[in-house]
Amino acid sequence: DTGVSQDPRHKITKRGQNVTFRCDPISEHNRLYWYRQTLGQGPEFLTYFQNEAQLEKSRLLSDRFSAERPKGSFSTLEIQRTEQGDSAMYLCASSLAWGAGQPQHFGDGTRLSIL
Amino acid sequence: DQQVKQNSPSLSVQEGRISILNCDYTNSMFDYFLWYKKYPAEGPTFLISISSIKDKNEDGRFTVFLNKSAKHLSLHIVPSQPGDSAVYFCAALITQGGSEKLVFGKGTKLTVNP
């Protein structure tokens, strides 16, 4: 059973640089989510895709953030002109439609550190 | 404005005893409630869920209770094992206008002592 895969696991970059993260969901899952988790907090919702359509974006997702899911398979999250406050764990999750009774399954995340 | 609250940052219990983790919420529109377990350097792992129309769901050593009038849910682990030591997150699912998302609490760190 292949779970949700995220790459890279760690990213260290200088302030002002652009970064891109990748998420490969569980293959039969049509829903994909991005969350951000900072120290001492629970994950916070960023955005949600159903197949290739991005259906919701959180107010946390500033104009510097963009997410895509071409062809409804893997997804990328790009942060442009990174800032210190972007340092966090970025988590990806996938699920079947909730009506099927399936929960969101999370990857192990990408930890971003901004120098 | 925190819609899902876990007021106990940590909990310590002896192996074999019951662990009770608590969660309060404010939004009556939540459809499901879920508990996730998280080990260091790993993503959250789903444990158990409950529909907003139920009051109890059980899966092995894990039972979740929902009290809608009090807007409170709890996770019971019986008997507790050292391998249960982890951070436990309470999460609520909200579905609106074709979208859905989880709203998480801040987590409770459970330590089960041998």
Side-chain angles (χ1 to χ4, degrees):
Chain A
D1 178 24
T2 304
V4 177
S5 177
Q6 292 190 245
D7 183 71
R9 291 294 309 276
H10 303 275
K11 181 69 177 179
I12 301 173
T13 191
K14 293 182 179 179
R15 183 169 54 92
Q17 298 294 306
N18 299 343
V19 293
T20 299
F21 312 140
R22 177 181 171 119
C23 171
D24 287 274
I26 294 171
S27 58
E28 64 268 27
H29 286 184
N30 58 346
R31 297 186 170 187
L32 186 146
Y33 316 78
W34 285 98
Y35 292 82
R36 181 174 71 186
Q37 185 177 16
T38 53
L39 197 61
Q41 303 294 319
E44 295 174 289
F45 172 81
L46 292 179
T47 190
Y48 156 63
F49 290 84
Q50 182 162 323
N51 300 311
E52 67 274 8
Q54 188 174 20
L55 297 187
E56 186 172 353
K57 292 170 62 174
S58 163
R59 288 170 295 177
L60 292 176
L61 218 62
S62 75
D63 291 345
R64 297 184 297 105
F65 287 72
S66 62
E68 295 181 344
R69 193 184 182 196
K71 302 179 183 177
S73 56
F74 71 92
S75 175
T76 57
L77 178 67
E78 181 183 15
I79 309 174
Q80 295 182 325
R81 305 181 302 282
T82 52
E83 301 174 355
Q84 292 280 354
D86 297 332
S87 294
M89 175 73 82
Y90 290 84
L91 293 162
C92 177
S94 70
S95 75
L96 294 170
W98 182 260
Q102 298 297 318
Q104 296 178 23
H105 295 271
F106 284 80
D108 288 337
T110 294
R111 179 167 295 283
L112 174 64
S113 298
I114 307 297
L115 301 177
Chain B
D1 174 20
Q2 192 146 23
Q3 298 185 70
V4 177
K5 299 179 183 179
Q6 293 177 258
N7 292 318
S8 298
S10 62
L11 174 67
S12 184
V13 300
Q14 286 299 121
E15 182 178 5
R17 305 296 291 268
I18 184 171
S19 295
I20 300 176
L21 298 107
N22 294 303
C23 179
D24 297 294
Y25 62 95
T26 57
N27 190 340
S28 300
M29 300 299 292
F30 290 136
D31 300 298
Y32 283 86
F33 300 91
L34 302 88
W35 286 93
Y36 283 83
K37 177 169 73 173
K38 188 181 185 301
Y39 294 119
E42 295 184 9
T45 301
F46 170 72
L47 270 179
I48 191 169
S49 64
I50 187 168
S51 165
S52 61
I53 62 173
K54 305 272 187 173
D55 55 20
K56 178 182 175 181
N57 188 25
E58 188 173 357
D59 184 2
R61 296 186 298 115
F62 302 92
T63 303
V64 57
F65 296 93
L66 175 61
N67 183 334
K68 285 192 70 175
S69 61
K71 292 191 173 69
H72 177 84
L73 65 155
S74 60
L75 175 68
H76 293 210
I77 307 173
V78 182
S80 302
Q81 300 173 353
D84 296 329
S85 297
V87 177
Y88 288 78
F89 290 99
C90 172
L93 181 74
I94 186 164
T95 57
Q96 280 181 328
S99 177
E100 66 172 49
K101 62 185 176 185
L102 288 173
V103 180
F104 283 85
K106 291 187 177 183
T108 297
K109 183 176 182 180
L110 173 65
T111 302
V112 180
N113 300 302

Coordinates of all heavy atoms in Angstrom, one line a residue, chain A residues 6-62:
Chain A
Q6 N 5.8 12.9 -0.3 CA 6.2 14.3 -0.5 C 7.7 14.4 -0.7 O 8.5 13.7 -0.1 CB 5.7 15.1 0.7 CG 4.2 15.2 0.9 CD 3.8 16.2 2.0 OE1 3.3 15.8 3.0 NE2 4.1 17.4 1.7
D7 N 8.0 15.4 -1.6 CA 9.4 15.6 -1.9 C 9.7 17.1 -2.1 O 8.9 17.8 -2.7 CB 9.8 14.8 -3.2 CG 11.2 14.9 -3.5 OD1 12.1 14.3 -2.8 OD2 11.5 15.6 -4.5
P8 N 10.8 17.6 -1.5 CA 11.7 17.0 -0.7 C 11.2 16.8 0.8 O 10.2 17.4 1.1 CB 13.0 17.9 -0.7 CG 12.3 19.3 -0.9 CD 11.1 19.0 -1.8
R9 N 11.9 16.1 1.6 CA 11.5 16.1 3.0 C 12.0 17.3 3.8 O 11.3 17.8 4.7 CB 12.2 14.8 3.7 CG 11.6 13.5 3.2 CD 10.1 13.4 3.6 NE 9.9 13.6 5.0 CZ 10.0 12.7 6.0 NH1 10.4 11.5 5.7 NH2 9.8 13.0 7.2
H10 N 13.1 17.9 3.4 CA 13.6 19.1 4.0 C 14.1 20.1 2.9 O 14.6 19.6 1.9 CB 14.8 18.8 4.9 CG 14.5 17.8 6.0 ND1 13.9 18.1 7.2 CD2 14.7 16.4 6.0 CE1 13.8 17.0 7.9 NE2 14.2 16.0 7.2
K11 N 13.9 21.3 3.1 CA 14.3 22.4 2.2 C 14.8 23.5 3.0 O 14.1 24.1 3.8 CB 13.2 22.8 1.3 CG 13.6 23.9 0.3 CD 14.5 23.3 -0.8 CE 14.9 24.3 -1.8 NZ 15.8 23.8 -2.8
I12 N 16.1 23.9 2.8 CA 16.6 25.1 3.4 C 17.0 26.1 2.3 O 17.6 25.7 1.3 CB 17.9 24.7 4.2 CG1 17.6 23.7 5.3 CG2 18.5 26.0 4.9 CD1 18.8 23.2 6.0
T13 N 16.5 27.3 2.5 CA 16.7 28.3 1.4 C 16.9 29.7 2.0 O 16.5 29.9 3.2 CB 15.6 28.3 0.4 OG1 16.0 29.0 -0.7 CG2 14.3 28.9 1.0
K14 N 17.4 30.6 1.3 CA 17.6 31.9 1.7 C 16.3 32.7 1.4 O 15.6 32.5 0.5 CB 18.8 32.6 1.0 CG 20.1 32.0 1.4 CD 21.2 32.7 0.6 CE 22.6 32.1 1.0 NZ 23.7 32.8 0.3
R15 N 16.1 33.7 2.3 CA 15.0 34.6 2.1 C 15.0 35.2 0.7 O 16.0 35.6 0.3 CB 15.0 35.7 3.2 CG 13.8 36.6 3.2 CD 13.8 37.4 4.5 NE 15.1 38.1 4.7 CZ 15.4 39.3 4.2 NH1 14.5 40.0 3.5 NH2 16.5 39.9 4.5
G16 N 13.8 35.2 0.1 CA 13.7 35.8 -1.2 C 13.8 34.8 -2.4 O 13.4 35.2 -3.5
Q17 N 14.2 33.6 -2.1 CA 14.3 32.6 -3.1 C 12.9 31.9 -3.3 O 12.0 32.0 -2.5 CB 15.3 31.5 -2.7 CG 16.7 32.0 -2.6 CD 17.3 32.4 -3.9 OE1 17.3 31.7 -4.9 NE2 17.7 33.7 -4.0
N18 N 12.7 31.3 -4.5 CA 11.5 30.5 -4.7 C 11.7 29.1 -4.4 O 12.8 28.5 -4.6 CB 11.1 30.7 -6.2 CG 10.9 32.1 -6.6 OD1 10.6 33.0 -5.8 ND2 10.9 32.3 -7.9
V19 N 10.7 28.4 -3.9 CA 10.8 27.0 -3.7 C 9.5 26.3 -4.2 O 8.5 26.9 -4.3 CB 10.9 26.7 -2.1 CG1 12.2 27.2 -1.6 CG2 9.7 27.2 -1.4
T20 N 9.7 25.0 -4.6 CA 8.6 24.2 -5.1 C 8.6 22.9 -4.4 O 9.7 22.2 -4.3 CB 8.7 24.0 -6.6 OG1 8.6 25.3 -7.2 CG2 7.5 23.2 -7.1
F21 N 7.5 22.4 -3.9 CA 7.3 21.1 -3.3 C 6.4 20.3 -4.1 O 5.5 20.8 -4.8 CB 6.7 21.2 -1.9 CG 7.3 22.3 -1.0 CD1 6.5 23.1 -0.2 CD2 8.7 22.5 -1.0 CE1 7.1 24.0 0.6 CE2 9.3 23.4 -0.2 CZ 8.4 24.2 0.6
R22 N 6.6 18.9 -4.1 CA 5.8 18.0 -4.8 C 5.1 17.1 -3.9 O 5.6 16.6 -2.9 CB 6.7 17.2 -5.8 CG 5.9 16.2 -6.6 CD 6.7 15.4 -7.5 NE 6.0 14.3 -8.1 CZ 5.8 14.1 -9.4 NH1 6.3 15.0 -10.3 NH2 5.2 13.1 -9.9
C23 N 3.9 16.7 -4.3 CA 3.1 15.7 -3.5 C 2.5 14.7 -4.5 O 1.9 15.1 -5.5 CB 1.9 16.4 -2.8 SG 0.7 15.2 -2.1
D24 N 2.7 13.4 -4.2 CA 2.1 12.3 -5.0 C 1.1 11.7 -4.1 O 1.4 11.0 -3.1 CB 3.2 11.3 -5.5 CG 4.0 11.9 -6.6 OD1 3.6 11.8 -7.7 OD2 5.1 12.4 -6.3
P25 N -0.2 11.8 -4.4 CA -1.2 11.2 -3.6 C -1.4 9.7 -3.7 O -0.7 9.2 -4.6 CB -2.5 11.9 -4.0 CG -2.2 12.2 -5.5 CD -0.8 12.5 -5.6
I26 N -2.2 9.1 -2.9 CA -2.5 7.7 -3.1 C -3.2 7.6 -4.5 O -4.1 8.4 -4.8 CB -3.4 7.2 -2.0 CG1 -2.6 7.2 -0.7 CG2 -4.0 5.8 -2.2 CD1 -3.3 7.0 0.6
S27 N -2.9 6.6 -5.3 CA -3.2 6.7 -6.7 C -4.7 6.8 -7.0 O -5.1 7.5 -7.9 CB -2.6 5.4 -7.4 OG -3.1 4.3 -6.8
E28 N -5.6 6.2 -6.2 CA -7.0 6.2 -6.6 C -7.7 7.4 -5.9 O -8.9 7.5 -6.1 CB -7.7 4.9 -6.1 CG -7.7 4.6 -4.7 CD -6.5 3.8 -4.2 OE1 -5.4 3.9 -4.9 OE2 -6.6 3.1 -3.2
H29 N -7.0 8.2 -5.2 CA -7.7 9.3 -4.5 C -7.9 10.5 -5.4 O -6.9 11.0 -6.1 CB -6.8 9.8 -3.3 CG -6.9 8.8 -2.1 ND1 -6.3 9.1 -0.9 CD2 -7.5 7.6 -2.0 CE1 -6.5 8.1 -0.1 NE2 -7.3 7.2 -0.7
N30 N -9.1 11.0 -5.5 CA -9.3 12.2 -6.4 C -9.2 13.5 -5.7 O -9.3 14.5 -6.3 CB -10.7 12.0 -7.1 CG -11.8 11.9 -6.1 OD1 -11.6 11.7 -4.9 ND2 -13.0 12.1 -6.6
R31 N -9.1 13.5 -4.4 CA -9.1 14.8 -3.6 C -7.7 14.9 -3.0 O -7.1 14.0 -2.5 CB -10.1 14.8 -2.5 CG -11.5 14.8 -3.1 CD -12.6 15.0 -2.1 NE -13.9 15.2 -2.7 CZ -15.0 15.5 -2.1 NH1 -15.0 15.6 -0.8 NH2 -16.1 15.6 -2.8
L32 N -7.2 16.1 -3.1 CA -5.8 16.4 -2.6 C -5.9 17.7 -1.9 O -6.5 18.7 -2.3 CB -4.8 16.5 -3.8 CG -3.3 16.6 -3.4 CD1 -2.5 15.9 -4.4 CD2 -2.9 18.1 -3.3
Y33 N -5.1 17.8 -0.7 CA -5.1 19.0 0.2 C -3.7 19.3 0.5 O -2.9 18.5 0.7 CB -5.9 18.6 1.5 CG -7.2 17.9 1.3 CD1 -7.2 16.5 1.1 CD2 -8.4 18.5 1.4 CE1 -8.4 15.8 0.9 CE2 -9.6 17.8 1.2 CZ -9.6 16.4 1.0 OH -10.7 15.7 0.9
W34 N -3.5 20.6 0.7 CA -2.3 21.1 1.3 C -2.6 21.8 2.7 O -3.6 22.5 2.8 CB -1.6 22.1 0.4 CG -0.9 21.5 -0.8 CD1 -1.4 21.4 -2.1 CD2 0.4 21.0 -0.9 NE1 -0.5 20.8 -2.9 CE2 0.6 20.5 -2.2 CE3 1.4 20.8 0.1 CZ2 1.8 19.9 -2.6 CZ3 2.6 20.2 -0.3 CH2 2.8 19.8 -1.7
Y35 N -1.7 21.5 3.6 CA -1.8 22.1 5.0 C -0.5 22.6 5.4 O 0.6 22.2 4.9 CB -2.3 21.1 6.0 CG -3.7 20.6 5.9 CD1 -4.0 19.6 5.0 CD2 -4.7 21.2 6.7 CE1 -5.3 19.1 4.9 CE2 -6.0 20.7 6.5 CZ -6.3 19.7 5.7 OH -7.6 19.2 5.6
R36 N -0.4 23.5 6.3 CA 0.8 24.1 6.8 C 0.8 23.9 8.4 O -0.3 24.2 9.0 CB 1.0 25.5 6.5 CG 2.3 26.1 7.0 CD 2.5 27.5 6.5 NE 1.6 28.5 7.0 CZ 1.4 29.7 6.6 NH1 2.2 30.2 5.7 NH2 0.6 30.5 7.2
Q37 N 1.9 23.4 8.9 CA 1.9 23.3 10.4 C 3.1 24.0 10.9 O 4.3 23.7 10.5 CB 2.0 21.8 10.8 CG 1.9 21.6 12.3 CD 1.9 20.1 12.7 OE1 2.2 19.3 11.9 NE2 1.5 19.9 13.9
T38 N 2.9 24.9 11.9 CA 4.0 25.5 12.6 C 4.1 25.0 14.0 O 3.2 24.3 14.5 CB 3.8 27.0 12.6 OG1 2.5 27.3 13.2 CG2 3.9 27.7 11.3
L39 N 5.2 25.3 14.7 CA 5.5 24.7 16.0 C 4.4 25.0 17.0 O 4.0 26.1 17.2 CB 6.9 25.2 16.5 CG 7.5 24.4 17.6 CD1 7.9 23.0 17.2 CD2 8.8 25.2 18.1
G40 N 4.0 23.9 17.6 CA 3.0 24.1 18.7 C 1.5 24.2 18.2 O 0.6 24.5 19.0
Q41 N 1.3 24.1 16.9 CA 0.0 24.3 16.3 C -0.4 23.0 15.6 O 0.4 22.2 15.2 CB 0.0 25.5 15.3 CG 0.5 26.8 15.9 CD -0.5 27.3 16.9 OE1 -1.7 27.3 16.7 NE2 0.0 27.9 18.0
G42 N -1.7 22.9 15.3 CA -2.2 21.8 14.5 C -2.0 22.3 13.0 O -1.8 23.4 12.7
P43 N -2.1 21.3 12.1 CA -2.1 21.7 10.7 C -3.2 22.7 10.3 O -4.3 22.6 10.8 CB -2.4 20.3 10.0 CG -1.9 19.3 10.9 CD -2.3 19.9 12.3
E44 N -2.9 23.6 9.4 CA -3.8 24.6 9.0 C -4.1 24.5 7.5 O -3.1 24.4 6.7 CB -3.3 26.1 9.3 CG -3.2 26.4 10.7 CD -2.5 27.7 10.9 OE1 -1.3 27.9 10.7 OE2 -3.2 28.7 11.3
F45 N -5.3 24.5 7.1 CA -5.7 24.3 5.7 C -5.2 25.4 4.8 O -5.3 26.6 5.1 CB -7.2 24.2 5.6 CG -7.8 24.2 4.2 CD1 -7.8 23.0 3.5 CD2 -8.3 25.3 3.7 CE1 -8.3 23.0 2.2 CE2 -8.8 25.3 2.4 CZ -8.8 24.1 1.7
L46 N -4.6 25.0 3.7 CA -4.2 25.9 2.7 C -5.1 25.9 1.4 O -5.6 26.9 1.0 CB -2.7 25.7 2.3 CG -1.7 25.9 3.3 CD1 -0.3 25.6 2.8 CD2 -1.7 27.4 3.8
T47 N -5.2 24.7 0.8 CA -5.9 24.6 -0.4 C -6.4 23.2 -0.7 O -5.9 22.2 -0.1 CB -5.1 25.2 -1.6 OG1 -6.0 25.3 -2.8 CG2 -3.9 24.2 -1.9
Y48 N -7.3 23.0 -1.6 CA -8.0 21.8 -1.9 C -8.3 21.6 -3.4 O -8.7 22.5 -4.0 CB -9.3 21.7 -1.0 CG -10.4 20.8 -1.5 CD1 -10.1 19.4 -1.6 CD2 -11.6 21.3 -1.9 CE1 -11.1 18.6 -2.0 CE2 -12.6 20.4 -2.3 CZ -12.4 19.1 -2.4 OH -13.4 18.2 -2.8
F49 N -7.9 20.4 -3.9 CA -8.2 20.1 -5.3 C -9.2 18.9 -5.3 O -9.0 17.9 -4.6 CB -6.9 19.7 -6.0 CG -6.0 20.8 -6.2 CD1 -5.1 21.2 -5.3 CD2 -6.0 21.4 -7.5 CE1 -4.2 22.2 -5.5 CE2 -5.0 22.5 -7.7 CZ -4.2 22.8 -6.7
Q50 N -10.1 18.9 -6.2 CA -10.8 17.7 -6.6 C -10.5 17.4 -8.1 O -10.8 18.2 -8.9 CB -12.3 17.9 -6.4 CG -13.1 16.6 -6.8 CD -14.5 16.6 -6.2 OE1 -14.7 17.0 -5.1 NE2 -15.4 16.0 -7.0
N51 N -9.8 16.3 -8.3 CA -9.2 16.0 -9.6 C -8.2 17.2 -9.9 O -7.4 17.6 -9.1 CB -10.2 15.8 -10.6 CG -11.1 14.6 -10.3 OD1 -10.6 13.5 -9.9 ND2 -12.4 14.8 -10.3
E52 N -8.3 17.9 -11.0 CA -7.4 18.9 -11.4 C -7.9 20.3 -11.0 O -7.2 21.3 -11.1 CB -7.1 18.9 -12.9 CG -8.2 19.3 -13.8 CD -9.1 18.0 -14.1 OE1 -8.9 17.0 -13.5 OE2 -10.0 18.1 -14.9
A53 N -9.2 20.4 -10.5 CA -9.8 21.7 -10.1 C -9.4 22.1 -8.7 O -9.7 21.3 -7.8 CB -11.3 21.6 -10.3
Q54 N -8.9 23.3 -8.6 CA -8.7 23.9 -7.3 C -9.9 24.5 -6.8 O -10.4 25.6 -7.3 CB -7.5 24.9 -7.3 CG -7.0 25.4 -6.0 CD -5.8 26.3 -6.1 OE1 -5.5 26.8 -7.2 NE2 -5.1 26.5 -5.0
L55 N -10.6 23.9 -5.8 CA -11.9 24.3 -5.4 C -11.9 25.3 -4.2 O -12.9 26.0 -4.0 CB -12.8 23.1 -5.0 CG -13.0 22.2 -6.2 CD1 -14.0 21.1 -5.7 CD2 -13.6 22.9 -7.4
E56 N -10.9 25.4 -3.4 CA -10.8 26.3 -2.3 C -9.4 26.7 -2.0 O -8.5 25.9 -2.0 CB -11.5 25.8 -1.1 CG -11.6 26.8 0.0 CD -12.5 26.4 1.2 OE1 -13.1 25.3 1.2 OE2 -12.5 27.1 2.2
K57 N -9.2 28.0 -1.7 CA -7.9 28.5 -1.2 C -8.2 29.3 0.1 O -9.1 30.1 0.2 CB -7.3 29.4 -2.2 CG -6.9 28.8 -3.5 CD -6.5 29.8 -4.6 CE -5.4 30.6 -4.2 NZ -4.9 31.5 -5.3
S58 N -7.3 29.0 1.1 CA -7.4 29.7 2.4 C -6.9 31.1 2.2 O -6.1 31.4 1.4 CB -6.6 28.9 3.4 OG -6.3 29.7 4.5
R59 N -7.3 31.9 3.2 CA -6.8 33.3 3.2 C -5.3 33.3 3.6 O -4.6 34.2 3.4 CB -7.5 34.1 4.3 CG -8.9 34.5 3.8 CD -9.7 35.1 4.9 NE -10.0 34.2 6.0 CZ -10.6 34.5 7.1 NH1 -11.0 35.6 7.4 NH2 -10.8 33.5 8.0
L60 N -4.9 32.1 4.2 CA -3.4 32.0 4.5 C -2.6 31.9 3.2 O -1.4 32.2 3.3 CB -3.2 30.7 5.3 CG -3.8 30.6 6.7 CD1 -3.5 29.2 7.2 CD2 -3.1 31.6 7.6
L61 N -3.2 31.6 2.1 CA -2.5 31.4 0.9 C -2.3 32.8 0.2 O -3.2 33.2 -0.6 CB -3.2 30.4 0.0 CG -2.3 29.4 -0.8 CD1 -1.5 28.5 0.1 CD2 -3.2 28.6 -1.7
S62 N -1.2 33.5 0.5 CA -1.0 34.8 -0.1 C -0.7 34.6 -1.6 O -0.6 33.5 -2.2 CB 0.1 35.5 0.6 OG 1.3 35.0 0.1

